[in-house]
Amino acid sequence: MRRSISASVAFAIALVIACSTAAQPVVVAPPAPPIVTDAPTPQPIVTVSASASAKVANDRMHAVLRAEADNADAGKAANDVNLRIGKAMAAARAVGGVDASSAGYSTWQVSEPNHPPHWRVVQSIALDGAEFATIAALVTRLQASGLLLSGLDFSVSRDARHAAENRLTGEAIRAWQARAQAAAQGFGAGSYRAGRVSIQTSEGGGPRPMFRAAAAAAGPAPISVEGGESEVTVSVSGEAILDTVRAAR
């Protein structure tokens, strides 16, 4: 009887093991990738920058003049300034080739030791144009009428700047190409192709101030002006993708 029970238990265990083995999926390993002995190496990418610059004559003149008034009555101070700036605007508009515009208006109370508080009003007028002598003569007239010269600046006009940028763009691109080719040769590549490239322009320094301090203190004698030059720069920066170099076998 014991042998019969032991044989039954052994048969049941064997049957369970057989079923568990049959239920497991068969895993097949993927084939190994082929060995490539002539594969290209990743293409090196270098960032290259170059620029071209030129001095361009300033052909625009900008002047800012102001009227100031102090009074214990804010309204009287404002009225004084408004009348003087109004006359200055009328005089400027009567001169051909000069653009006149308002450049600021401020009112504040001034408190000083041992003095009663009073109000100060300041209003400015801006002049712009290409005729330097005409603007200089107008500034001299307005100074004689009591206006103060806050500043005198020069800049390159939009048309002149764009013309210079167009000339410099070709130079900057050729300089970038030469530098990219030199980089390719330095890394052992025969040539390159351009990737992402950007072109940027700038005018070095912006408007150039001239005779700011001297002109502010000048009297009715004619002021002397010289426009000078500004530097215009075009920069090219971008990727140079070097030729693929094949690995040795």
Side-chain angles (χ1 to χ4, degrees):
M1 183 66 177
R2 289 181 180 177
R3 290 182 179 178
S4 176
I5 293 174
S6 299
S8 298
V9 172
F11 176 77
I13 293 174
L15 182 61
V16 171
I17 294 174
C19 292
S20 299
T21 304
Q24 294 180 355
V26 178
V27 179
V28 179
I35 299 176
V36 180
T37 59
D38 197 25
T41 59
Q43 290 180 296
I45 299 177
V46 296
T47 301
V48 180
S49 299
S51 63
S53 301
K55 296 287 187 179
V56 181
N58 293 319
D59 57 353
R60 300 293 297 183
M61 179 176 174
H62 319 276
V64 178
L65 297 100
R66 71 186 187 276
E68 297 182 354
D70 290 274
N71 199 298
D73 187 327
K76 291 181 179 180
N79 185 65
D80 182 12
V81 166
N82 294 346
L83 289 175
R84 290 159 60 191
I85 289 296
K87 293 179 180 179
M89 289 289 288
R93 289 169 179 164
V95 178
V98 177
D99 297 326
S101 61
S102 298
Y105 198 115
S106 300
T107 303
W108 68 95
Q109 190 175 46
V110 179
S111 298
E112 298 175 336
N114 303 321
H115 290 84
H118 61 279
W119 292 89
R120 177 167 298 166
V121 179
V122 179
Q123 185 178 6
S124 300
I125 178 176
L127 307 176
D128 178 85
E131 299 294 334
F132 293 179
T134 300
I135 297 178
L138 177 59
V139 167
T140 300
R141 287 171 50 198
L142 296 179
Q143 284 180 304
S145 70
L147 267 63
L148 302 174
L149 182 60
S150 299
L152 196 63
D153 302 323
F154 298 87
S155 66
V156 179
S157 65
R158 180 180 301 178
D159 291 342
R161 185 177 67 252
H162 286 176
E165 289 172 352
N166 290 339
R167 293 193 304 270
L168 293 171
T169 296
E171 296 180 19
I173 291 175
R174 288 190 291 273
W176 185 91
Q177 291 171 333
R179 185 163 292 182
Q181 183 61 41
Q185 294 175 352
F187 282 104
S191 61
Y192 72 96
R193 60 184 176 88
R196 296 180 179 178
V197 181
S198 63
I199 300 176
Q200 297 180 337
T201 60
S202 65
E203 182 180 343
R208 192 176 88 168
M210 297 288 292
F211 308 112
R212 184 182 298 272
I223 61 174
S224 300
V225 295
E226 174 59 45
E229 296 176 326
S230 293
E231 187 176 73
V232 178
T233 301
V234 175
S235 302
V236 179
S237 179
E239 300 172 340
I241 305 173
L242 308 187
D243 271 350
T244 300
V245 180
R246 295 186 177 275
R249 295 185 180 181

